[in-house]
Amino acid sequence: MQAVIALHGDLGSGKTTFARHLLQALGVAGSIKSPTYTIVEPYAVGAFSVWHFDFYRFNDPQEWEDAGFRDIFASPGLKLIEWPEKAAAMLPVADLDLRLTIALGTQDSQSRSETARLVTIGANTLLGAALAGACT
């Protein structure tokens, strides 16, 4: 599999939580760390690799090139990208764009305030359309 999924959203919108749940669903066992400080966390999932990126700390898209990520993106595997806009035009076109937004708060049965998320899926490639179809 070679796919790129871009995760868009404000701080706290659930990008990392979504990535964690997806990685767990793919079979990653154990702790799944946020790549906020390391920029990338690699995982082996059966016969393919997954890389979880977080470009939040980038100040210039050139940092993507300087970090040597072009080789990772050219290799097979799934790439999950938080804050893709920070690497801008350096990135390949994402197969899927997922936009996470915080929806209105709700109350659960224990009167704790919970916040729902709204996810908008945009497919940019044929593979993205197939993946989006699998999500609905």
Side-chain angles (χ1 to χ4, degrees), residues 52-89:
H52 180 193
F53 294 89
D54 186 331
F55 296 138
Y56 179 73
R57 298 189 171 282
F58 277 16
N59 294 313
D60 184 325
Q62 185 61 39
E63 292 179 70
W64 180 86
E65 184 72 43
D66 295 343
F69 292 143
R70 183 176 303 279
D71 292 337
I72 292 174
F73 276 82
S75 67
L78 174 62
K79 288 79 174 184
L80 300 172
I81 309 165
E82 296 185 45
W83 300 98
E85 58 278 3
K86 297 280 195 156

Side-chain angles (χ1 to χ4, degrees), residues 18-33:
F18 176 88
R20 277 190 184 119
H21 286 288
L22 178 58
L23 288 164
Q24 289 170 341
L26 290 171
V28 174
S31 177
I32 297 174
K33 299 185 295 183

Side-chain angles (χ1 to χ4, degrees), residues 5 12 15 17 26 41 43-44 49-50 62 65 67 72 74 80 88 122 135:
I5 299 175
K15 297 178 299 293
T17 299
L26 290 171
E41 289 291 333
Y43 300 93
S49 298
V50 178
Q62 185 61 39
E65 184 72 43
I72 292 174
L80 300 172
C135 294

Side-chain angles (χ1 to χ4, degrees), residues 4-5 10 13 16 21 27 33 35 37 40 42 44 48 63 75 80 83 91 96 99 104 107 117-118 124 128 132:
V4 176
I5 299 175
D10 293 334
S13 63
T16 300
H21 286 288
K33 299 185 295 183
Y37 294 101
V40 63
F48 67 96
E63 292 179 70
S75 67
L80 300 172
W83 300 98
L91 293 173
L96 278 180
R99 298 191 189 285
L104 298 175
Q107 294 290 324
R117 302 300 192 268
L118 175 65
N124 301 311

